[in-house]
Amino acid sequence: SIISEWDGMGVLRQLTKHKLVFIETKDVVETTLALDNYRRACDSGRGAVFLSVARGKVSEGINFDRHYGRAVIMFGVPFQYTLSHVLRARLEYLQTHYQIREQDFLNFDALRQASQCVGRVIRSKTDYGLMIFADSRYNRHDKRSKLPKWILQFMHDGYLNLSTDMALQHVKHFLRVMAQPVDQAALQSVLLTLEEVEQMNPSPDQGSTLPGEGGAML
């Protein structure tokens, strides 16, 4: 596996000199304990790295908001296992009934999964984090164009196909800027007031009628 290769190359040994490292496994209890300890490490200020797999529990269902997730690195493109009988049947159905080509669906599905993985670190308007796509295939238009607009708007030409040194320069600059005090006036311009939230979510009483009269839920 990749983890074993990194261990043999000494990558994990170098990484653990700076951060604690936790790994998602197939065991639910082990992964839950790893997540708990990961959060404790972040709360203590030590910081940590959590290694997980795309289409797994952590990458799909766990939020890494605030200081629990300031950077996510996506290695590879998370394509589905194409020899699955269920997937083959789905691809055949899409081709027959909707003329959707196999490769188009697989690309769309993989990029949707990739955006879901990296999106774990952005959970509110005041949150921020780095998203690094560590695979040259994301430079290709047929791949990159399938990412959502909220990611594409930041993928300018100057941020594509970077060397490690150039990427580190961008990372340092971004974190230095985000570490500055927040402009409260600018922040209030993007946040909703309590009155605006209440207008968007009216109370149940406003959508009901008197007992016995009948009515419809709004």
Side-chain angles (χ1 to χ4, degrees):
S1 66
I2 294 178
I3 303 298
S4 300
E5 289 292 328
W6 284 353
D7 188 34
M9 295 166 60
V11 174
L12 291 183
R13 190 161 51 252
Q14 287 291 106
L15 192 57
T16 52
K17 291 180 180 180
H18 305 280
K19 299 288 182 181
L20 296 175
V21 178
F22 300 95
I23 302 174
E24 177 185 14
T25 68
K26 293 181 179 179
D27 189 294
V28 176
V29 176
E30 286 183 355
T31 299
T32 301
L33 289 174
L35 279 168
D36 289 342
N37 288 324
Y38 169 84
R39 292 183 181 276
R40 290 194 184 97
C42 294
D43 289 336
S44 70
R46 170 72 186 276
V49 175
F50 199 99
L51 302 176
S52 63
V53 62
R55 302 182 188 276
K57 172 189 174 184
V58 173
S59 64
E60 291 192 355
I62 305 298
N63 293 334
F64 292 89
D65 58 325
R66 299 177 292 122
H67 62 292
Y68 296 122
R70 290 306 187 202
V72 57
I73 304 177
M74 186 76 197
F75 292 101
V77 182
F79 286 105
Q80 291 195 55
Y81 178 62
T82 54
L83 296 182
S84 163
H85 295 298
V86 175
L87 177 59
R88 299 310 308 176
R90 179 180 298 174
L91 292 173
E92 184 178 344
Y93 179 84
L94 291 173
Q95 174 68 46
T96 303
H97 292 82
Y98 298 100
Q99 290 73 55
I100 297 176
R101 296 187 306 170
E102 175 180 319
Q103 197 57 43
D104 290 340
F105 174 80
L106 292 175
N107 279 330
F108 169 78
D109 179 73
L111 273 296
R112 177 181 59 181
Q113 186 65 36
S115 61
Q116 185 173 6
C117 291
V118 298
R120 298 292 96 191
V121 300
I122 305 295
R123 309 313 299 168
S124 72
K125 286 186 176 182
T126 58
D127 215 349
Y128 68 89
L130 287 158
M131 298 178 183
I132 302 173
F133 293 92
D135 193 299
S136 60
R137 286 174 290 180
Y138 290 105
N139 284 323
R140 292 169 48 179
H141 180 74
D142 65 320
K143 298 289 190 297
R144 193 170 70 252
S145 62
K146 292 179 175 59
L147 290 170
K149 290 182 179 180
W150 66 271
I151 294 179
L152 280 177
Q153 64 179 317
F154 298 106
M155 296 183 72
H156 308 303
D157 291 340
Y159 296 143
L160 301 178
N161 200 28
L162 298 176
S163 65
T164 302
D165 290 338
M166 285 297 297
L168 285 174
Q169 289 184 23
H170 285 299
V171 167
K172 291 178 180 179
H173 174 73
F174 174 80
L175 294 177
R176 192 178 300 116
V177 171
M178 298 308 296
Q180 303 307 309
V182 177
D183 184 340
Q184 292 299 321
L187 179 62
Q188 293 304 318
S189 67
V190 298
L191 295 179
L192 297 175
T193 64
L194 178 59
E195 291 74 14
E196 289 172 330
V197 173
E198 290 176 343
Q199 290 176 3
M200 295 173 61
N201 298 280
S203 62
D205 294 340
Q206 296 178 4
S208 62
T209 62
L210 294 176
E213 292 186 357
M217 294 297 294
L218 301 179

